[in-house]
Amino acid sequence: MHIREAAIYGKCSGAESVKQAVFKILNTEKETYIIYSDDYGIKLDDLMGKNIAFVKAELPHRITEALLHDDRIISVEDFSFECPKRHNLICRFTVNSIFGSFEERKEMRI
């Protein structure tokens, strides 16, 4: 069996770099990892077990606040929700950046 070393190479810029930043921010629990400042990431763990109406009201604010720390993001809008399973929530929204707009989603257990 041949073991291949993993390598990180290349770089991205423009819209693709913003998409990567959005993914990373929305998948990093705020105030959890000492390598990140207290402003980086999103606070979601305290929403688990809460009423779905409360989560739907709170989530757009938290997503917007987390993403607007990135200077390349102008606004976040058009939030919609879907509950495909009993304890799952999918939040879809539009990210408007200096490189254009794109659709994004955040899925979480509640």
Side-chain angles (χ1 to χ4, degrees), residues 61-81:
H61 168 71
R62 292 192 187 191
I63 289 172
T64 301
E65 179 182 41
L67 296 182
L68 288 180
H69 281 285
D70 189 313
D71 293 338
R72 299 168 296 177
I73 297 174
I74 299 166
S75 64
V76 186
E77 59 189 17
D78 299 329
F79 288 88
S80 65
F81 298 94

Side-chain angles (χ1 to χ4, degrees), residues 3-60:
I3 298 176
R4 193 174 143 207
E5 288 185 32
I8 298 174
Y9 58 90
K11 63 180 179 177
C12 68
S13 59
E16 193 59 36
S17 67
V18 176
K19 289 178 183 180
Q20 285 185 8
V22 167
F23 177 83
K24 184 72 173 127
I25 291 167
L26 295 180
N27 288 287
T28 302
E29 185 67 24
K30 194 173 186 175
E31 300 173 353
T32 301
Y33 304 100
I34 61 172
I35 64 168
Y36 298 114
S37 72
D38 287 344
D39 291 336
Y40 188 84
I42 186 168
K43 188 78 172 156
L44 295 176
D45 63 350
D46 63 330
L47 295 178
M48 289 186 68
K50 300 287 187 196
N51 179 288
I52 189 131
F54 174 77
V55 175
K56 286 180 177 181
E58 185 67 18
L59 201 52

